[in-house]
Amino acid sequence: MSKIKKCLFPAAGYGTRFLPATKAIPKEMLPVLTKPLLQYGVEEAIEAGLETMAIVTGRGKRSIEDHFDVSYELEHQIKGTAKENYLKEIRSVISSCTFSYTRQVEMKGLGHAILTGETLIGKEPFGVVLADDLCDSENDGVLKQMTKLYEKYKCCVVAVEEIPAEDSNKYGVIAGDVINDAQYDTEALVRVNDMVEKPEPEDAPSNLAIIGRYILTPDIFDVLRKTKPGKGGEIQITDALLEMAKIGKVIAYKFNGTRFDCGSVDGFVEATNYFYEKSTK
Ligand code: UTP
């Protein structure tokens, strides 16, 4: 299978945990310091060598398209002033990749949002970034770590982290067999054989939760087409991945780095403090 060139950003959710802020502003456009969450995700994908950013949007999300475009009026206004510097990073993002968009008309869950993105992805492996999971790492970004793993194992890869037992009902939780690979830390890689969406602590198969980074192979679309609504009446990517896991096609990877759940107020504040500290060092 070919090299990974595209990254899908499902960004059509309602972001209800951030109401009223998300009434007219997409959750993905909330800024940590001066940068919207989605820009961090796009920068991570660029660092991983990905060239096409495929964004699944929905009603009321037009500001996402405007953000990744030139604002001539603004450019004209600040041309030649010190303020031009503020646009340096976003200009570099815009010139480093291409953007394509499609709309999810009914918000039927993450699995459905990914299936909606098929038209932008086609028949090639691709990355998925949920921008409200903000990741930072010292060396390679999380998506870059995962694309390297894909190059070696040529199957789906999900990023996981250890969570406290009482949080299991917020995540997809995996179980499987450790893969011994001298290139990776012991227990960093697991061949997944079970996955449960938002289990209660007593039903969780492990303490390893999937976070918002995936590498998927295009056969996931056929599986998603057949996936019935699961937990919460939504089409769950976890249910589709379980089908792939049953034939040994999913690896879970304990990534190097830190991740903030910016879909929750606590995680968002933590991320803001973390990036502020980092920027003043
Ligand atoms: P979340 O469940 O975290 O997002 O979905 P949400 O529904 O927007 O937030 P809350 O729970 O109401 O506060 C994870 C990701 O999947 C996308 C979201 O935009 C988010 O990036 N998503 C979810 C879609 O694109 N479409 C959907 O139908 C559901």
Side-chain angles (χ1 to χ4, degrees):
M1 273 193 239
S2 50
K3 212 169 161 356
I4 299 182
K5 296 190 292 270
K6 294 182 179 173
C7 190
L8 189 68
F9 295 85
Y14 291 119
T16 52
R17 283 168 291 166
F18 258 98
L19 284 169
T22 47
K23 198 168 163 238
I25 296 169
K27 171 169 75 173
E28 297 74 14
M29 289 302 291
L30 295 177
V32 165
L33 306 189
T34 55
K35 218 154 59 175
L37 289 171
L38 191 53
Q39 188 178 331
Y40 286 91
V42 169
E43 286 174 358
E44 188 182 320
I46 292 172
E47 189 242 354
L50 279 52
E51 296 157 3
T52 299
M53 307 300 147
I55 306 183
V56 179
T57 67
R59 284 179 294 285
K61 303 262 186 175
R62 205 169 292 165
S63 58
I64 293 177
E65 291 176 53
D66 290 339
H67 185 72
F68 295 107
D69 197 354
V70 177
S71 166
Y72 285 106
E73 200 180 320
L74 184 62
E75 297 274 345
H76 175 75
Q77 201 67 31
I78 64 176
K79 198 173 168 54
T81 73
K83 287 182 182 168
E84 257 193 305
N85 209 27
Y86 296 135
L87 290 180
K88 219 169 103 193
E89 271 180 282
I90 184 67
R91 275 180 184 160
S92 153
V93 165
I94 294 169
S95 61
S96 308
C97 57
T98 55
F99 291 87
S100 61
Y101 299 90
T102 191
R103 275 194 185 205
Q104 189 185 15
V105 176
E106 283 180 280
M107 310 329 162
K108 293 198 235 169
L110 176 57
H112 182 258
I114 291 175
L115 183 57
T116 303
E118 181 181 18
T119 179
L120 305 176
I121 299 293
K123 294 193 185 327
E124 51 187 286
F126 59 104
V128 176
V129 169
L130 306 186
D132 49 354
D133 267 344
L134 180 50
C135 293
D136 190 46
S137 31
E138 276 187 16
N139 300 309
D140 285 351
V142 177
L143 206 59
K144 185 166 186 180
Q145 296 169 38
M146 293 171 75
T147 53
K148 282 186 179 166
L149 202 49
Y150 171 81
E151 307 269 310
K152 185 163 187 184
Y153 286 92
K154 305 282 180 200
C155 68
C156 296
V157 183
V158 296
V160 291
E161 71 177 17
E162 289 178 11
I163 50 150
E166 65 270 22
D167 287 347
S168 65
N169 56 12
K170 297 183 193 152
Y171 297 92
V173 180
I174 66 111
D177 304 313
V178 168
I179 300 173
N180 291 313
D181 183 325
Q183 269 188 303
Y184 290 87
D185 290 346
T186 331
E187 303 199 352
L189 301 181
V190 173
R191 178 78 62 184
V192 179
N193 57 30
D194 195 14
M195 287 181 138
V196 189
E197 181 63 18
K198 301 191 173 74
E200 289 309 319
E202 58 276 20
D203 302 322
S206 76
N207 66 342
L208 291 177
I210 304 174
I211 63 125
R213 298 289 182 280
Y214 306 76
I215 302 290
L216 301 176
T217 52
D219 39 356
I220 194 76
F221 294 126
D222 283 334
V223 181
L224 276 169
R225 250 185 288 283
K226 292 184 208 132
T227 303
K228 302 254 175 330
K231 197 108 191 179
E234 296 190 330
I235 296 175
Q236 300 289 354
I237 187 65
T238 311
D239 294 339
L241 277 168
L242 176 59
E243 292 306 307
M244 308 282 280
K246 283 180 189 163
I247 49 168
K249 297 281 190 188
V250 182
I251 286 178
Y253 169 55
K254 269 196 232 168
F255 61 95
N256 294 318
T258 314
R259 162 257 175 194
F260 300 95
D261 172 14
C262 290
S264 76
V265 175
D266 287 352
F268 192 91
V269 172
E270 267 175 52
T272 303
N273 289 333
Y274 170 92
F275 281 96
Y276 181 70
E277 292 285 316
K278 202 173 161 176
S279 73
T280 54
K281 265 186 196 153

